[in-house]
Amino acid sequence: MRVRPIYILLLLLAVAFTGCKDDKESAGGSVLEKEDQIWVCADTFPIKSDLLKVDSIISMPDSFLLGEMASSYGTLHADILTQFACPIGYVYPEGATVDSVCLCMAYRSWFGDGNSPMGITVYEIDQGEFDYARSYPTNIDPQQYVSSSSPQLLAHEKVVVASLKTDSVYSSSAGVYYPVVRARMSDDFTKRLFDIRDFDSQEAFNDVFKGLYIVSEFGSGTILNVLDINLSVYYTFKYKKGVSDTIVHDVKAFYANSEVRQINCINYKDQDDVFAKLQADADYNYVASPANLYTRLRFPMAKIQERINSRIDGKRPYVNMGKVKIDVDYMSDDMSTRDKWFRPATQMLLIKESALERFFTKRELPTDTCALLADFSRGTDKSGKTEYFYTYDMSALLTNQLRYSNNPDTLDMVLVPVDVMTATSNNTTYVISIKQQQTVSATKTYSAENAAKPMDIEVVYSGF
């Protein structure tokens, strides 16, 4: 006997609204022959959770972190290795003479204490080569590219106080002024950069100027979120206007942009100690970026499969709902702690741990059977209090997983804070790019074993 899809849908909806008893139920059992009966059931399975230490992520920054900051999540130190784009075919005006060269870094914001001074030093990359097609980790060793004999390139030590916006640059795309750090380069470097005329290709330019290593060498209170980096060459030339000479002051900028390799070097000086301390906290888990801590969720896949198969009488399983709610401990108005600049990740990926490296290395997009994306959300609990959470529907993932005969005892998945780029077409918004979050965030979640808010997965499933 063949059952039309519309009848199946109506039967499933009826069961979903009325709920299931602990014993398996047959939808339409008095109407359908046994081989056509549809079992619809519901179960709740407990989850376990723990922390996962993250030594590095793939460095694909839209902006750079620079500086050092101590917090409850470790002492984050961030430096920058960057090449500069070649102005293909550019020619300085005849008779031009250089006045100065300045390193300019515009920053959109900062983390930590904006009144705490930080010192910036710059070295020239003088060894090794970068492969533009290769992905580099954030724990890259700068000594592979900068020798111990590489001289400091700034004319004078540069001290920065983030909140003192002594200089700024206008962004036409954003329509705002961004504070900028402007540091004069040494006379020797100024002459060498101005003497470069190899502008035929990026490769030729890289041969004579490999790039800069920008370092924060003192201060542990501030991290700059650097939006733009360039080397500005200020020069003068003359040209005849009528019978007299006119002196012109001009500038040529060499940009660190998407055409060249840029790497944010990130490390935590005390990551092991912090990890051990936070791992010992049985009530909470933590997700901190960049390249610091993730939370692992352990789903009892073998028990889920065994339970579902035992209740659907050997039929083909379909998971109609697999809801997981990650509750976040967050006081949005609490600005009293030293970690007040930390905020939960705006978007959080729940991904199979086995696919973690491949997913980001190959720049994959979220799929229902591997990686699920959720927004940081706010709602109201049963008592009327504000609550914060991420919610995932694992129905497609579990349906796919139940097709395997050799499921592991636990399906390990990881919460990863991500930066997401979207596009809109025909009134539909879709994800076009996703990468591990490169800026500072910290999300404190209730652990799966938290007595107040234990974590589980609610599953509604059927057998055909």
Side-chain angles (χ1 to χ4, degrees):
M1 176 179 178
R2 186 174 179 179
V3 183
R4 297 191 180 189
I6 186 64
Y7 295 152
I8 295 175
L9 178 61
L10 291 173
L11 288 170
L12 289 176
L13 288 174
V15 174
F17 279 106
T18 58
C20 286
K21 298 178 182 178
D22 187 57
D23 294 331
K24 64 184 179 184
E25 297 281 344
S26 171
S30 62
V31 179
L32 302 176
E33 298 176 9
K34 183 176 181 180
E35 63 269 18
D36 292 323
Q37 291 178 1
I38 308 165
W39 300 117
V40 182
C41 310
D43 271 307
T44 299
F45 299 93
I47 303 171
K48 294 183 179 181
S49 65
D50 59 9
L51 288 188
L52 180 65
K53 185 170 62 174
V54 184
D55 294 322
S56 70
I57 59 176
I58 297 171
S59 182
M60 294 188 293
D62 294 321
S63 59
F64 303 91
L65 300 181
L66 178 63
E68 184 171 296
M69 180 181 67
S71 74
S72 300
Y73 305 99
T75 301
L76 166 63
H77 186 93
D79 299 325
I80 300 167
L81 284 166
T82 184
Q83 296 174 320
F84 290 83
C86 172
I88 303 295
Y90 180 75
V91 177
Y92 286 108
E94 185 177 353
T97 58
V98 66
D99 298 322
S100 63
V101 173
C102 285
L103 173 66
C104 301
M105 296 184 293
Y107 58 97
R108 59 158 58 99
S109 60
W110 67 85
F111 304 97
D113 183 0
N115 297 313
S116 177
M118 59 180 291
I120 296 175
T121 304
V122 178
Y123 300 91
E124 188 168 356
I125 298 174
D126 60 354
Q127 59 185 20
E129 295 183 357
F130 291 111
D131 180 355
Y132 185 76
R134 176 186 166 189
S135 296
Y136 289 87
T138 52
N139 64 350
I140 187 173
D141 182 5
Q143 293 183 2
Q144 296 179 14
Y145 303 92
V146 184
S147 68
S148 58
S149 60
S150 180
Q152 295 186 18
L153 298 183
L154 294 183
H156 306 286
E157 182 181 36
K158 188 64 181 181
V159 177
V160 178
V161 178
S163 63
L164 298 181
K165 304 173 185 179
T166 57
D167 199 354
S168 64
V169 62
Y170 182 73
S171 169
S172 57
S173 59
V176 298
Y177 284 90
Y178 288 115
V180 63
V181 176
R182 202 179 303 271
R184 182 165 178 157
M185 307 298 283
S186 68
D187 290 341
D188 177 66
F189 177 78
T190 295
K191 183 179 183 305
R192 286 194 294 113
L193 185 66
F194 186 70
D195 285 344
I196 295 175
R197 296 294 188 270
D198 298 298
F199 298 147
D200 292 334
S201 68
Q202 185 66 51
E203 292 76 13
F205 184 65
N206 289 344
D207 285 341
V208 292
F209 176 48
K210 297 180 182 296
L212 298 179
Y213 177 42
I214 307 170
V215 189
S216 169
E217 292 205 329
F218 77 82
S220 60
T222 311
I223 295 279
L224 296 181
N225 186 15
V226 178
L227 177 67
D228 177 83
I229 302 174
N230 73 75
L231 281 170
S232 294
V233 180
Y234 295 89
Y235 61 91
T236 303
F237 66 96
K238 296 178 182 180
Y239 77 96
K240 280 192 177 294
K241 187 175 183 180
V243 296
S244 61
D245 288 339
T246 298
I247 298 177
V248 178
H249 299 279
D250 205 350
V251 58
K252 179 60 184 176
F254 295 77
Y255 290 95
N257 57 26
S258 59
E259 298 175 11
V260 293
R261 176 55 62 202
Q262 309 161 81
I263 303 170
N264 218 161
C265 308
I266 294 170
N267 65 77
Y268 291 82
K269 296 182 176 180
D270 47 4
Q271 187 184 36
D272 290 342
D273 292 339
V274 170
F275 178 82
K277 179 180 178 181
L278 295 180
Q279 179 74 303
D281 186 351
D283 288 329
Y284 297 97
N285 294 137
Y286 302 85
V287 182
S289 70
N292 192 5
L293 302 169
Y294 292 162
T295 289
R296 179 194 288 117
L297 302 182
R298 297 181 178 274
F299 296 86
M301 196 62 230
K303 290 184 178 179
I304 292 174
Q305 185 173 40
E306 180 183 4
R307 174 66 170 170
I308 290 177
N309 287 341
S310 69
R311 300 192 71 192
I312 61 175
D313 203 26
K315 296 180 178 293
R316 188 173 178 84
Y318 290 87
V319 177
N320 308 102
M321 184 192 77
K323 180 182 177 182
V324 178
K325 182 183 177 186
I326 312 296
D327 289 296
V328 177
D329 182 31
Y330 175 54
M331 299 296 292
S332 59
D333 297 326
D334 182 10
M335 303 292 287
S336 60
T337 70
R338 69 169 179 167
D339 296 341
K340 63 184 180 182
W341 50 84
F342 282 104
R343 292 292 183 272
T346 302
Q347 292 173 301
M348 190 79 75
L349 193 71
L350 179 62
I351 181 172
K352 289 182 178 179
E353 185 175 359
S354 60
L356 188 58
E357 182 177 354
R358 185 205 74 222
F359 183 90
F360 291 106
T361 300
K362 295 187 176 181
R363 304 185 183 185
E364 297 179 14
L365 297 177
T367 60
D368 289 342
T369 57
C370 176
L372 310 174
L373 188 62
D375 294 328
F376 181 59
S377 303
R378 182 175 66 179
T380 304
D381 63 16
K382 295 179 181 179
S383 64
K385 295 181 179 180
T386 300
E387 62 175 358
Y388 300 90
F389 53 87
Y390 304 94
T391 303
Y392 302 91
D393 181 5
M394 296 178 60
S395 55
L397 189 150
L398 289 177
T399 297
N400 184 69
Q401 203 70 32
L402 288 170
R403 301 286 185 263
Y404 300 126
S405 59
N406 58 340
N407 267 301
D409 288 342
T410 60
L411 174 63
D412 293 342
M413 302 193 69
V414 181
L415 290 172
V416 181
V418 290
D419 294 322
V420 178
M421 182 179 294
T422 61
T424 302
S425 177
N426 297 324
N427 296 320
T428 301
T429 300
Y430 52 94
V431 175
I432 61 173
S433 174
I434 187 167
K435 60 186 179 182
Q436 293 150 300
Q437 191 169 40
Q438 314 263 324
T439 54
V440 175
S441 76
T443 308
K444 181 181 180 182
T445 71
Y446 290 86
S447 75
E449 296 85 2
N450 187 290
K453 292 188 175 183
M455 194 184 304
D456 52 38
I457 179 169
E458 301 173 17
V459 181
V460 175
Y461 52 94
S462 52
F464 291 90

